[in-house]
Amino acid sequence: MLQLTRPAADASQWYGETPALMHRGIATALATRISSTWQEPYRSGLLRRRQWTEYALYFLYAECFGLLETRYVPGGIDTIMRLTKSLWQPPDQYLKRRDCGNWKVSDVFGPQGDGIAVVVQSYLHYPIQEVAHKIRRFLR
């Protein structure tokens, strides 16, 4: 899509997903790159070529032009989203089974928690009312 090759030095780097903070200047430059690469408006270029995700395009572009070092601070798996406290995978995929019934939301949002965000994957089909009940007391 971008006709760029990922720098070998960044090959082991993994970028988080939802929520991802994207820098407006990088996103604008990325759109310009897509337009110039495909000689058409970036929206058309994206719609005609669907083998991409916004994260792959954004972070590859930022890596290739050295923009990550100037706009981001490296973090860990739990820097923004508490992935280790989310309902991200099926219950039996965790070392200690985790599901909505034993999900300790207070570990993230309670007085001793340090949470910013968690994810409850929609494909796991937890009842919305049950999830809402778990988090309701932490919402203001």
Side-chain angles (χ1 to χ4, degrees), residues 11-56:
S12 65
Q13 181 66 40
W14 181 79
Y15 301 102
E17 294 182 30
T18 312
L21 302 175
M22 295 185 178
H23 187 274
R24 181 179 179 180
I26 295 173
T28 300
L30 169 60
T32 300
R33 170 69 183 215
I34 294 168
S35 293
S36 65
T37 298
W38 298 101
Q39 299 298 303
E40 61 184 315
Y42 78 91
R43 290 178 187 93
S44 301
L46 291 171
L47 290 171
R48 290 184 206 284
R49 296 155 193 90
R50 298 192 184 177
Q51 297 300 315
W52 54 268
T53 70
E54 67 275 26
Y55 298 114

Side-chain angles (χ1 to χ4, degrees), residues 61-126:
Y61 181 84
E63 278 179 345
C64 287
F65 291 96
L67 301 172
L68 291 177
E69 297 80 15
T70 63
R71 302 290 191 264
Y72 290 91
V73 175
I77 193 168
D78 280 341
T79 300
I80 295 175
M81 176 179 60
R82 296 300 179 255
L83 203 66
T84 58
K85 303 289 185 185
S86 291
L87 296 175
W88 185 257
Q89 301 176 47
D92 59 349
Q93 294 293 310
Y94 296 101
L95 292 176
K96 183 178 177 187
R97 184 179 176 86
R98 186 182 321 153
D99 59 29
C100 203
N102 68 359
W103 184 38
K104 295 182 180 176
V105 181
S106 61
D107 287 353
V108 179
F109 301 120
Q112 304 303 315
D114 62 350
I116 297 171
V118 293
V119 168
V120 178
Q121 286 287 5
S122 60
Y123 78 89
L124 296 173
H125 305 289
Y126 290 114

